[in-house]
Amino acid sequence: MIQQQPWDLSKSGMKISRDVWIGTHFVVLPVVTMGDGAILAAAAVVSLDVQVYAIISGIPARINGYRE
């Protein structure tokens, strides 16, 4: 079953900080850090680090604003 397959973030280099919201069908390239409180829209393709409280979307993902 797919939910039983191992997925180890430490091997990818990706870091998801606290209170990050992630939409469905997103793509995050290896060695990306998502800052605290960031929001990633559905289907976003993230290739760079995400700033703290940033709201991002698109292909490639771009900052649309910031959470207050």
Side-chain angles (χ1 to χ4, degrees):
M1 299 183 115
I2 197 163
Q3 68 265 25
Q4 295 173 339
Q5 295 178 7
W7 192 51
D8 188 358
L9 288 177
S10 65
K11 291 181 182 177
S12 74
M14 181 174 47
K15 180 183 175 196
I16 302 174
S17 299
R18 296 178 302 126
D19 196 29
V20 173
W21 300 0
I22 302 174
T24 61
H25 305 292
F26 71 100
V27 175
V28 178
L29 300 180
V31 194
V32 169
T33 298
M34 293 177 234
D36 289 344
I39 298 175
L40 283 66
V45 176
V46 183
S47 60
L48 301 172
D49 288 348
V50 178
Q51 297 175 7
V52 175
Y53 294 108
I55 301 169
I56 65 169
S57 66
I59 303 170
R62 294 191 178 124
I63 297 174
N64 294 325
Y66 292 89
R67 290 176 56 189
E68 296 181 14

